[in-house]
Amino acid sequence: MVENKVALITGATRGIGKEVAIQLAKQGYNIVANCRNKEEDDLDGMKKEIESFGVKIIFLEANVANFEECDKMVKEAIEEFGRIDVLVNNAGITKDGLIMRMKKEDFEAVIDVNLVGTFNVTRNVIPHMIKQKSGRIISLASVVGVCGNAGQTNYSASKAGIIGFTKSLAKEVASRNILVNAVAPGFIATNMTEVLSDSVKENINAQIPLKRMGTPEEVAKVIKFLASDDSSYVTGQVINIDGGMVM
Ligand code: NAI
């Protein structure tokens, strides 16, 4: 158990982000849960669940694609808790389509939220971690950022960008005792994959050695490991969580 440590998770009110908040709260972290819009999800239910682990939670609205809103969010988090020990860059969107039909706005929107958003939050958190002389930054990439996927040029580019960002930042801040890693999930059962048809899901499962999609909990537990003292010699890595899909 950790004491008085704080984790900031973006896009934390549903899916993988919510499960990360739960797993870290169980370890004793106070939680700063970023969301795009407070009306979107069941925040009362989440507050009760997180507080049942004996920790505090605050919800902060910010569009990660907007630098000023991220600056304000990090300032509010520091005002409330005085520190940020773990940052999980989880907020992400898809706007899939084959390149011939992809609009420039759809390419840019995905890069802005997934990649620029990761920069915007990290850039505002890093000075506090440097001052503390410790920190963990864990970003959500994807296996398609490693191996590509037809219909996802925008999303794959954003996730490949996160991998490059992670490796460069890991080299930059290692001397400051800040560890920077990424996880690359395969197909995980959340709102993001719910939109796929049953036949597409069957096709996907057939290509996965473990023959099923993963759960948010299975991703969150690897993130919990990367946030913990057990991973004190791990930095600049991308850990696939994909049932063996990409080897
Ligand atoms: P989700 O769609 O269930 O949740 C995404 C969260 O991000 C939501 O809470 C949403 O409100 C928030 N968000 C979106 N745009 C935002 C913005 N501009 N500012 C702040 N918050 C914003 O998705 P899921 O599946 O939980 O995904 C979480 C992360 O994991 C994403 O980065 C996604 O790309 C990544 N991932 C998911 C996979 C999957 O199969 N579900 C596979 C690989 C990676």
Side-chain angles (χ1 to χ4, degrees), residues 14 16 36 40 62-64 90-91 141 155 159 185-186 188 190 193:
R14 68 169 198 228
I16 294 170
R36 180 81 178 85
E40 252 174 26
N63 173 4
V64 296
N90 167 80
Y155 185 75
K159 296 301 187 180
I188 309 299
T190 66
T193 46

Side-chain angles (χ1 to χ4, degrees), residues 15-65:
I16 294 170
K18 182 176 180 182
E19 194 55 44
V20 171
I22 291 169
Q23 292 299 329
L24 294 181
K26 279 187 187 170
Q27 299 305 303
Y29 285 92
N30 292 315
I31 302 296
V32 180
N34 156 256
C35 55
R36 180 81 178 85
N37 177 350
K38 279 188 181 167
E39 309 303 312
E40 252 174 26
D41 298 303
D42 173 20
L43 303 196
D44 287 341
M46 182 171 170
K47 186 169 159 46
K48 279 196 195 107
E49 188 171 0
I50 295 287
E51 287 176 347
S52 75
F53 303 115
V55 298
K56 292 185 193 147
I57 179 167
I58 57 167
F59 294 96
L60 296 179
E61 237 175 43
N63 173 4
V64 296

Side-chain angles (χ1 to χ4, degrees), residues 10-18 34-37 40-41 60-66 69-70 73 89-94 109 112-114 117-118 139-144 155 158-159 162 183-194 196 213-214 216 219 241:
T10 64
T13 54
R14 68 169 198 228
I16 294 170
K18 182 176 180 182
N34 156 256
C35 55
R36 180 81 178 85
N37 177 350
E40 252 174 26
D41 298 303
L60 296 179
E61 237 175 43
N63 173 4
V64 296
N66 182 307
E69 288 184 28
C70 295
M73 168 176 74
N89 287 307
N90 167 80
I93 57 168
T94 51
D112 278 352
V113 174
N114 299 5
T118 296
S139 301
L140 272 287
S142 164
V143 288
V144 306
Y155 185 75
S158 73
K159 296 301 187 180
I162 287 175
V183 294
F187 285 94
I188 309 299
T190 66
N191 288 36
M192 199 173 258
T193 46
E194 213 173 66
L196 303 170
M213 287 198 184
V219 177
I241 312 167

Side-chain angles (χ1 to χ4, degrees), residues 95 97-109 154:
K95 285 188 186 288
L98 298 172
I99 190 121
M100 286 298 285
R101 281 192 229 123
M102 188 176 289
K103 293 197 208 92
K104 184 170 175 280
E105 300 82 69
D106 290 344
F107 191 88
E108 286 174 351
N154 49 0

Side-chain angles (χ1 to χ4, degrees), residues 108-123:
E108 286 174 351
V110 170
I111 297 289
D112 278 352
V113 174
N114 299 5
L115 181 57
V116 182
T118 296
F119 167 79
N120 288 344
V121 184
T122 305
R123 175 66 184 81

